[in-house]
Amino acid sequence: MRAACKMVQDFSSRTSTIPASSCQPGYGTSGDTDGDGVDDENDAYPTDPDRSTDQYLPSENTYGTMAFEDLWPSEGDYDFNDMVVNYNWHYVLQCRQQSC
């Protein structure tokens, strides 16, 4: 016999939980240890109220490249190898999506 699963919504606080049961592990039931409004299971920093998520540019495991020409806008040698920079920016955000 298979157990019935149900979703419980608390519209007053705008949170959704799915209680754990025999047919699924549950969601939104881990609590919010640091009180920042992000469930611990979705919080990259579950014990730090000032940080909640990581954001990378261009992405976590790739780098972007910027190349500069010292004689721009004149054509000059126009090789764009006077300075070449690879970058990967890592932003740590609060739950309000503000950089820390």
Side-chain angles (χ1 to χ4, degrees), residues 3 12 15-16 25 39 50 52 56 60 62 69 71 74 78-79 81 86 90 97:
S12 63
T15 60
S16 297
D39 279 344
D50 295 324
S52 64
Y56 297 88
E60 184 174 4
T62 61
E69 171 57 44
L71 298 175
S74 300
Y78 212 62
D79 56 7
N81 69 354
N86 289 328
H90 175 206
Q97 301 300 309

Side-chain angles (χ1 to χ4, degrees), residues 29-94:
T29 58
S30 67
D32 182 12
T33 303
D34 57 11
D36 64 359
V38 179
D39 279 344
D40 289 347
E41 63 194 38
N42 296 317
D43 197 335
Y45 306 92
T47 59
D48 187 344
D50 295 324
R51 301 185 299 169
S52 64
T53 199
D54 294 312
Q55 187 175 27
Y56 297 88
L57 186 69
S59 70
E60 184 174 4
N61 298 313
T62 61
Y63 285 80
T65 302
M66 291 186 280
F68 298 90
E69 171 57 44
D70 62 349
L71 298 175
W72 181 264
S74 300
E75 288 188 18
D77 56 9
Y78 212 62
D79 56 7
F80 285 88
N81 69 354
D82 298 302
M83 186 168 97
V84 178
V85 178
N86 289 328
Y87 65 92
N88 177 284
W89 285 300
H90 175 206
Y91 297 96
V92 177
L93 303 175
Q94 298 170 335

